[in-house]
Amino acid sequence: MPGWNLTGTASSGHTDGDALSVSQAVEMAAGALDALPQLTVLGEVTGFRGPNARSGHCYFQIKDDSCAVDCIIWRGSYAKRTFDLRDGMQVNLTGNFNLYKATGRMSFVARSFSLAGEGLLRQQVAALAEKLRREGLMDDARKRRIPVFCTRVAVVTSLSGAVIDDVKRTLRRRNPLVELICVGSKVQGEGAPAELIEGLARAAAIEPAPDCILLVRGGGSFEDLMTFNDEGLARAVAACPVPVVTGIGHEPDTSICDMVSDRRCSTPTAAAESVAPAMSDLIDVLDARERRLGVSMSALVRGVAGDVDGQRSRLERAMAARLERLVLALDAAARRPCLASPTGMLERREADLMQTADRLASAITRSQERFAVGLAGAAPRLVATTSELTAHRHALDLAASRLAHEGRAVTAARAADLAAAAASLDALSPLKVLARGYSITYGPAGVVTHAGDVAPGDEVRIGLVDGDVFAQVGSVERHVGADAPTR
């Protein structure tokens, strides 16, 4: 047969009359594809786009190790799905090849699809994750807080791989103060979930208890990480009495254990870094807290100092006012006549009595004189009545005697009261105390009553009974066991 090209020109050795147009060639190809039976194709979904917002159709490619083909799922077919397609799924697509004549582009139109191989595993994992999510094992409210700085950390992983060395190296680099406890376990293969569950139990039972447990393993395929999608292990992670931090696989890998753990990190190294802040970060935090504490303490001290100064000022004013009142009262008392001159009142009373006695004597003398005058004028009659005069004279003597006796009785009672009052005043007089050899010392703050009221070098005034002595304090010596005065 002659060779034809798509431009409609014959190849070398053929005539133009044998050439097909592009439309004819595409039509022939479309017919050949339509003649193919329905096929089931196994491949990996890549470049998935859909459902389209306007049409609802899905467009993607399905590929294997050496080839890829465009694929379409119409809206009606995708609506019957039991799961959503996404990149990386291994699926079985059942349908036919189709050629879009306008562009000559071939596509595989899938009528139905199902998971295959890893895709089925992913569907099972998704179903288990949804189950645990409905039970609340993935709720943020259930997850526990990891201490910012962990001092004891247990790690559950394989002790023969590079992961444990990475964790140790990271903790030594970040913070050598963190104590690491290693609990060995299989992380892959048959029996690995049971060993990991046992490892978690042993790590949680350590005394004293660790601050957290690292559940880590290195990267691997989806099948390699299926151990950490085990339902029993996931429930053990959620029920562990110690907070669990996971670092499983690489950045895009997410297992069910990651979902139920208290903190999920992308890699084992990131998990170790998350529980061991760098020493430089701790130093910065401590420095910041030290500064805040210093500022707070300074503000507190300033506030208390202000209150103390205010209280001291009020106390000083109150004490000064009280001392001033006491000084005024003492000065007023000292100026009273009974204290200034205790014998002056007796002298005034004695003078009053003497004046009274003088007036009484004058009155008696005048009475006698008047009587003598009257007697002289009536001498004849008096001579005649001598006996009567004698009788009057006797009565007058008796009256004078009674008057003198009554006067002495009145003045004696008043003199006794006055003497008693004078004796009491004399006993209470500070001058009397001073007369016995005592003195009053006045310092810078007033009367000195305690040794602590003065200090070496202070000027003092010593009050004596007959004057004042001014002196300067050379030293102050308090008695042993004496209490300090309250100021």
Side-chain angles (χ1 to χ4, degrees), residues 308-323:
V308 170
D309 291 340
Q311 294 284 354
R312 182 181 62 188
S313 298
R314 289 192 291 272
L315 181 61
E316 289 177 350
R317 290 195 297 270
M319 289 300 297
R322 178 173 175 79
L323 290 175

Side-chain angles (χ1 to χ4, degrees), residues 8 15 59 103 141 148 154 175 198 282 338 340 351 357 373 380 421 438 446-447 459 474:
T15 62
Y59 303 92
T103 61
V148 176
N175 196 322
E198 181 186 358
L282 292 176
C338 63
V373 172
Y438 292 92
V447 176
E459 297 288 340

Side-chain angles (χ1 to χ4, degrees), residues 64-417:
D64 57 17
D65 293 338
S66 59
C67 189
V69 65
D70 290 338
C71 190
I72 302 173
I73 300 180
W74 306 125
R75 178 176 61 185
S77 299
Y78 195 69
K80 301 175 184 179
R81 69 189 183 279
T82 58
F83 62 93
D84 291 331
L85 288 175
R86 62 177 181 272
D87 289 350
M89 282 186 172
Q90 291 287 335
V91 294
N92 290 317
L93 298 172
T94 301
N96 302 92
F97 280 101
N98 175 266
L99 189 69
Y100 184 54
K101 298 178 181 179
T103 61
R105 185 169 183 175
M106 183 183 70
S107 300
F108 185 81
V109 180
R111 310 297 179 186
S112 62
F113 57 91
S114 61
L115 285 171
E118 181 181 325
L120 181 59
L121 289 177
R122 290 184 183 274
Q123 185 179 20
Q124 294 171 351
V125 170
L128 177 58
E130 183 60 28
K131 174 185 175 181
L132 298 181
R133 181 178 290 107
R134 287 196 300 269
E135 293 182 15
L137 268 64
M138 300 179 186
D139 292 345
D140 291 338
R142 184 201 63 80
K143 298 185 179 183
R144 292 157 296 187
R145 175 182 173 273
I146 309 297
V148 176
F149 175 49
C150 298
T151 57
R152 284 171 60 84
V153 175
V155 57
V156 179
T157 188
S158 173
L159 301 184
S160 60
V163 171
I164 189 65
D165 295 331
D166 290 342
V167 172
K168 291 179 180 179
R169 185 167 50 253
T170 300
L171 290 179
R172 283 196 302 268
R173 173 177 54 82
R174 297 275 294 178
N175 196 322
L177 300 179
V178 177
E179 179 183 358
L180 182 64
I181 305 168
C182 301
V183 179
S185 172
K186 290 174 61 176
V187 294
Q188 181 177 336
E190 184 178 356
E195 284 197 25
L196 288 171
I197 292 173
E198 181 186 358
L200 285 174
R202 284 190 288 133
I206 295 173
E207 292 293 340
D211 296 318
C212 68
I213 298 174
L214 299 182
L215 181 62
V216 296
R217 74 147 286 164
S221 65
F222 184 79
E223 289 82 359
D224 293 338
L225 301 179
M226 277 300 294
T227 298
F228 296 90
N229 290 320
D230 181 79
E231 181 176 358
L233 179 58
R235 292 187 182 276
V237 170
C240 185
V242 178
V244 178
V245 178
T246 57
I248 301 169
H250 297 301
E251 177 68 34
D253 298 323
T254 301
S255 66
I256 292 180
C257 287
D258 286 322
M259 299 177 188
V260 300
S261 66
D262 298 291
R263 177 188 292 167
R264 185 256 174 182
C265 297
S266 58
T267 62
T269 301
E273 290 179 347
S274 72
V275 298
M279 291 295 290
S280 59
D281 295 340
L282 292 176
I283 293 173
D284 292 340
V285 171
L286 290 176
D287 290 343
R289 291 183 178 180
E290 180 183 8
R291 290 192 294 272
R292 290 199 299 270
L293 182 61
V295 172
S296 300
M297 288 301 297
S298 298
L300 180 61
V301 169
R302 286 196 298 271
V304 173
D307 294 340
V308 170
D309 291 340
Q311 294 284 354
R312 182 181 62 188
S313 298
R314 289 192 291 272
L315 181 61
E316 289 177 350
R317 290 195 297 270
M319 289 300 297
R322 178 173 175 79
L323 290 175
E324 185 177 358
R325 290 194 299 271
L326 292 176
V327 169
L328 293 176
L330 184 61
D331 291 342
R335 287 194 296 270
R336 290 181 180 178
C338 63
L339 296 178
S341 180
T343 60
M345 183 178 294
L346 293 177
E347 293 173 353
R348 287 195 300 274
R349 293 292 185 179
E350 184 179 4
D352 292 341
L353 289 177
M354 292 179 65
Q355 291 178 1
T356 301
D358 291 342
R359 288 196 297 272
L360 181 59
S362 298
I364 292 173
T365 301
R366 286 194 299 273
S367 297
Q368 289 177 348
E369 289 176 353
R370 286 196 299 271
F371 179 76
V373 172
L375 183 61
R381 189 172 57 87
L382 289 174
V383 172
T385 57
T386 303
S387 58
E388 183 179 357
L389 179 59
T390 302
H392 283 294
R393 181 62 180 268
H394 181 68
L396 183 60
D397 290 340
L398 290 176
S401 177
R402 286 196 301 272
L403 179 61
H405 176 72
E406 292 295 331
R408 285 193 298 272
V410 171
T411 56
R414 298 296 184 270
D417 293 340

Side-chain angles (χ1 to χ4, degrees), residues 23-37 97-99 101:
S23 298
Q24 290 172 333
V26 171
E27 188 69 34
M28 289 178 61
L33 290 177
D34 290 341
L36 294 176
F97 280 101
N98 175 266
L99 189 69
K101 298 178 181 179

Side-chain angles (χ1 to χ4, degrees), residues 446-463:
V447 176
V448 177
T449 59
H450 296 83
D453 292 342
V454 294
D458 289 349
E459 297 288 340
V460 296
R461 176 170 64 89
I462 303 173

